[in-house]
C-alpha cells in the first residue's frame, strides 16, 4: 500500500481500536481488512467506516492469505483442544480443522494477530492460534501446521482509512466507496437507487446491505463503484442518489489495487457530458 513501507507501524487489538486511534489523532491512518474473497465483507470494518467513524478510504491493497496453526510451546497436534482466531480466519480453515483437529474448540478473537499475541499474554485462553505466517515468525511461536487454508489463492482486501482530506488524483483505474441509507422500505426502493448508476454507466463492483442498528428493516448499503468522484458520470450518479437518500456518505475515491482500468462507453464519457452541459446551457441562455 503506498506510503506504508516507510510509516511507523502501531499494532492494535481490533479494527475499532485502530480506527479510534486515527480519530483521536494517535495515528495518521489505519490499515484494516474490509473484504475477503471467501467470506465477503468484514462487517466490523464496514460498519465502523460507514457509520461509527468519520473517516475516508485513501488506498487499498490485495493481500494473498495463508494461515498457520501455532502454539506458545511445542506440542503434539492431537493435544490441541482449543484454537483462537478471528471468525473470518476460522471460516477459511474450517474444513481443515474438522479433518485434522476435530475435537478442538473455536475461541473467537478480535483478529488473527490478536489471537497469536494472546498465546503469549494468557496461555490459558487457548492451546493454539491460527494466524499469518509473518505474525508467527515475529512472535517466535511454534508452527504446528502450515498452509491450512481450505481455499488456495484466497485474498483479503485491506483499505487505508484516514481523516477526510484531499482526495487522491484520478488514475483511470479507481474506486469510489459510498454508504447509502435506504430512506424508506418500499417496493422498488433499491431499484430507484440503482437506476442512477445504470443510466450513468457506473459499474458497482461490490454492494452489501447492513443493518443500521436502529430497528428491524432499517438498512444501509455499502457500495464500491468503478470510477472516481472527479468523473462526471460518478458525480452525476451520486447527485441523483443524493436526491433520494440525502444522508448518503462519500467514503473516498482511490486507486484500485489491481490497476484494472474502468470501461467507459462513449455515451457516458467526459466528452459526452461536456456536450450535454453545453447544450443545456445554450437552451437556458434563451430564457427571458
Amino acid at each position: 500500500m503506498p506510503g506504508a513501507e516507510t510509516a511507523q507501524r502501531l499494532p492494535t487489538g481490533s479494527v475499532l481500536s485502530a480506527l479510534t486511534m486515527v480519530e483521536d489523532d494517535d495515528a495518521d491512518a489505519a490499515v484494516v481488512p474490509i473484504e475477503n474473497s471467501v467470506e465477503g465483507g468484514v462487517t466490523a470494518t464496514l460498519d465502523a467506516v460507514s457509520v461509527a467513524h468519520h473517516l475516508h478510504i485513501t488506498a487499498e491493497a490485495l493481500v494473498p492469505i495463508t494461515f498457520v496453526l501455532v502454539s506458545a510451546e511445542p506440542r503434539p497436534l492431537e493435544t490441541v483442544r482449543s484454537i483462537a482466531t478471528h471468525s473470518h480466519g476460522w471460516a477459511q480453515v474450517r474444513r481443515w480443522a474438522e479433518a485434522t483437529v476435530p475435537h478442538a474448540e473455536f475461541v473467537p478473537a478480535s483478529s488473527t494477530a490478536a489471537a497469536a499475541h494472546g498465546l503469549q499474554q494468557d496461555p490459558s485462553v487457548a492451546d493454539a492460534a491460527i494466524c499469518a505466517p509473518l505474525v508467527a515468525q515475529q512472535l517466535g511461536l511454534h508452527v504446528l501446521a502450515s498452509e491450512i487454508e481450505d481455499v488456495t489463492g484466497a485474498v483479503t482486501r485491506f483499505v487505508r482509512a484516514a481523516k477526510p482530506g484531499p482526495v487522491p488524483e484520478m488514475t483511470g483505474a479507481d474506486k469510489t466507496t459510498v454508504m447509502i441509507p435506504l430512506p424508506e422500505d418500499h417496493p422498488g426502493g433499491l431499484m430507484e437507487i440503482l437506476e442512477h448508476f445504470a443510466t450513468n454507466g457506473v459499474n458497482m463492483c461490490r454492494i452489501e446491505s447492513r443493518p443500521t442498528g436502529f430497528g428491524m428493516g432499517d438498512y444501509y448499503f455499502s457500495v464500491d463503484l468503478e470510477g472516481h468522484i472527479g468523473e462526471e458520470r460518478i458525480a452525476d450518479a451520486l447527485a441523483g442518489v443524493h436526491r433520494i437518500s440525502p444522508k448518503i456518505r462519500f467514503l473516498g475515491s482511490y486507486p484500485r489495487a489491481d490497476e484494472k482500468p474502468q470501461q467507459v462507453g462513449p455515451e457516458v464519457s467526459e466528452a459526452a457530458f461536456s456536450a450535454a452541459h453545453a447544450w443545456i446551457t445554450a437552451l437556458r441562455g434563451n430564457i427571458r
Side-chain angles (χ1 to χ4, degrees):
M1 190 170 292
E5 300 86 354
T6 58
Q8 180 185 2
R9 301 177 184 180
L10 304 173
T12 64
S14 68
V15 167
L16 292 179
S17 60
L19 298 177
T20 298
M21 289 181 67
V22 178
E23 286 207 320
D24 293 342
D25 293 321
D26 294 324
D28 296 325
V31 177
V32 291
I34 196 170
E35 184 182 8
N36 178 265
S37 61
V38 176
E39 284 297 294
V42 180
T43 56
T45 303
L46 292 175
D47 293 344
V49 174
S50 299
V51 180
H53 295 267
H54 295 280
L55 302 174
H56 281 180
I57 298 172
T58 60
E60 70 171 9
L62 301 177
V63 180
I65 298 300
T66 185
F67 293 105
V68 293
L69 180 70
V70 298
S71 61
E73 301 293 338
R75 62 186 304 154
L77 195 60
E78 58 270 17
T79 66
V80 174
R81 290 293 180 268
S82 56
I83 301 174
T85 193
H86 188 270
S87 58
H88 269 236
W90 184 252
Q92 294 178 73
V93 303
R94 188 181 292 116
R95 292 201 299 271
W96 175 89
E98 290 176 352
T100 312
V101 283
H103 302 296
E105 176 188 2
F106 164 50
V107 179
S110 58
S111 68
T112 56
H117 280 276
L119 294 180
Q120 296 180 327
Q121 297 166 356
D122 186 1
S124 65
V125 172
D127 296 334
I130 291 171
C131 65
L134 179 60
V135 174
Q137 180 182 354
Q138 291 174 336
L139 298 180
L141 297 171
H142 295 270
V143 177
L144 304 180
S146 301
E147 299 180 353
I148 62 175
E149 59 276 5
D150 295 331
V151 179
T152 302
V155 174
T156 293
R157 175 180 165 225
F158 287 80
V159 295
R160 181 175 64 196
K163 285 190 172 182
V167 177
E169 294 182 357
M170 289 187 288
T171 67
D174 304 290
K175 282 183 183 176
T176 294
T177 299
V178 292
M179 183 278 283
I180 307 173
L182 192 61
E184 182 183 350
D185 187 12
H186 65 273
L190 176 58
M191 182 61 69
E192 292 173 359
I193 292 172
L194 300 182
E195 283 179 344
H196 286 281
F197 297 128
T199 56
N200 283 282
V202 178
N203 186 44
M204 293 183 296
C205 42
R206 182 186 61 84
I207 178 170
E208 297 185 53
S209 63
R210 293 290 304 151
T212 63
F214 297 125
M216 292 296 294
D218 197 354
Y219 284 81
Y220 74 86
F221 294 96
S222 176
V223 183
D224 288 340
L225 309 171
E226 288 187 350
H228 193 282
I229 189 64
E231 298 177 60
E232 287 290 347
R233 62 193 184 91
I234 299 293
D236 198 69
L238 294 182
V241 174
H242 188 277
R243 294 197 300 272
I244 300 171
S245 180
K247 293 185 179 180
I248 181 176
R249 283 187 59 191
F250 170 75
L251 299 176
S253 288
Y254 47 92
R256 293 178 63 125
D258 59 10
E259 300 181 348
K260 179 183 178 182
Q262 55 260 23
Q263 301 298 317
V264 181
E267 73 282 359
V268 289
S269 65
E270 294 294 290
F273 273 97
S274 295
H277 290 320
W279 179 65
I280 291 295
T281 300
L283 293 176
R284 286 180 166 179
N286 293 323
I287 298 175
R288 294 177 184 267

